Amino acid sequence: MISTVNQANELNSTNPTLSEEDFGFSTRAVHVGQEPDPVTGAVIPSISLSTTFKQSAAGVNTGYEYSRTNNPSRNSFERAVASLEGAKYAIRMRQHEKNALAVAKFLEAHPLVEAVYYPGLESHKQHELAKKQMKGFGAMMSIRIKGNLDTSNKFLSSLKIFTLAESLGGVESLCEIPCIMTHAAVPPEERAKLGITDTLIRLSVGIEETEDIIRDLDQALKLANEVVVKH
């Protein structure tokens, strides 16, 4: 019979690079910052109530000197929180990408949209390069809608879930129009060279329900189209 030690060694040799970053949220919540006490072997780390710690010589300590500056229990808590935040970020980014890809595909097929610029789409000219360089395609995209500046403004003002803001990349869905927001200081002729037209819209797709995001974009596009029809 293989001993527990041998089994552990065998596992480590099979997964030599397995680390904290490889674990999911639940595993991190149970284990990170809660390793068995190296001195007593206690499976559950004890809570340190000490306010001061012995030094072997003046200024020489084991990493702890006074609880106001450092404490074993606080360190464990900080490690656990930091790890869980990292895990939540990974989960969040997967939702961002899932939503963004669904939105990009929906908009690409929408009759009121002229173009969608998102590296996750096979139609994007740098899609293959993005696949090599990136683990995911993110949540940022630009779209070019049919119409003019009035159409763009109507589209933006009709959105219910998306917030009109220049700061992109939050958990909430955000949108902006570069020609009169982020790139307003760029001369019109330069904007034209860069493709920053009056109908170019930047979207940062959030982590809301996918269907809600798509419905919001669809209804706003339809309302914006009324401006095109009137003109």
Side-chain angles (χ1 to χ4, degrees):
M1 181 180 292
I2 301 177
S3 68
T4 303
V5 173
N6 287 339
Q7 287 177 330
N9 290 337
E10 191 173 289
L11 176 62
N12 290 333
S13 64
T14 305
N15 301 285
T17 60
L18 192 62
S19 64
E20 177 184 316
E21 288 71 25
D22 299 309
F23 298 142
F25 187 88
S26 298
T27 303
R28 295 188 191 199
V30 172
H31 293 284
V32 177
Q34 302 177 67
E35 294 81 1
D37 190 295
V39 176
T40 66
V43 174
I44 304 297
S46 58
I47 296 176
S48 175
L49 301 178
S50 180
T51 58
T52 189
F53 301 85
K54 178 184 177 181
Q55 299 187 19
S56 57
V60 180
N61 55 64
T62 59
Y64 306 101
E65 51 184 354
Y66 197 65
S67 280
R68 283 187 303 184
T69 58
N70 216 353
N71 177 281
S73 297
R74 187 165 69 241
N75 281 2
S76 294
F77 178 71
E78 289 173 349
R79 280 191 58 212
V81 171
S83 181
L84 291 177
E85 286 181 343
K88 284 195 294 184
Y89 181 74
I91 294 171
R92 167 189 158 185
M93 289 310 300
R94 283 198 292 271
Q95 185 63 31
H96 272 302
E97 184 183 1
K98 171 180 173 289
N99 284 350
L101 184 58
V103 165
K105 289 181 177 179
F106 167 76
L107 293 175
E108 187 177 41
H110 202 288
L112 303 179
V113 176
E114 289 185 349
V116 179
Y117 306 101
Y118 180 66
L121 291 175
E122 292 184 5
S123 59
H124 193 281
K125 62 181 181 181
Q126 292 184 316
H127 175 68
E128 291 303 318
L129 177 62
K131 284 171 61 177
K132 295 177 181 177
Q133 293 182 337
M134 306 160 66
K135 291 184 179 180
F137 301 109
M140 297 294 302
M141 71 180 70
S142 292
I143 65 173
R144 202 180 303 279
I145 65 176
K146 294 181 179 180
N148 51 35
L149 185 57
D150 289 338
T151 314
S152 295
N153 283 324
K154 180 63 176 177
F155 168 71
L156 295 170
S157 65
S158 299
L159 291 165
K160 304 300 182 184
I161 291 177
F162 281 80
T163 299
L164 183 62
E166 292 187 2
S167 179
L168 306 177
V171 293
E172 63 284 322
S173 291
L174 303 171
C175 60
E176 68 110 351
I177 178 168
C179 71
I180 53 178
M181 291 176 71
T182 53
H183 294 68
V186 179
E189 60 274 13
E190 291 299 318
R191 290 203 304 266
K193 292 178 183 178
L194 295 170
I196 304 174
T197 65
D198 290 346
T199 58
L200 182 72
I201 309 291
R202 287 178 63 191
L203 302 177
S204 175
V205 182
I207 62 174
E208 301 94 344
E209 292 292 333
T210 311
E211 294 76 13
D212 292 339
I213 296 173
I214 289 176
R215 280 199 298 266
D216 189 31
L217 290 166
D218 188 41
Q219 63 86 24
L221 282 167
K222 288 175 180 175
L223 288 173
N225 186 56
E226 294 178 2
V227 175
V228 179
V229 174
K230 289 179 181 178
H231 284 75

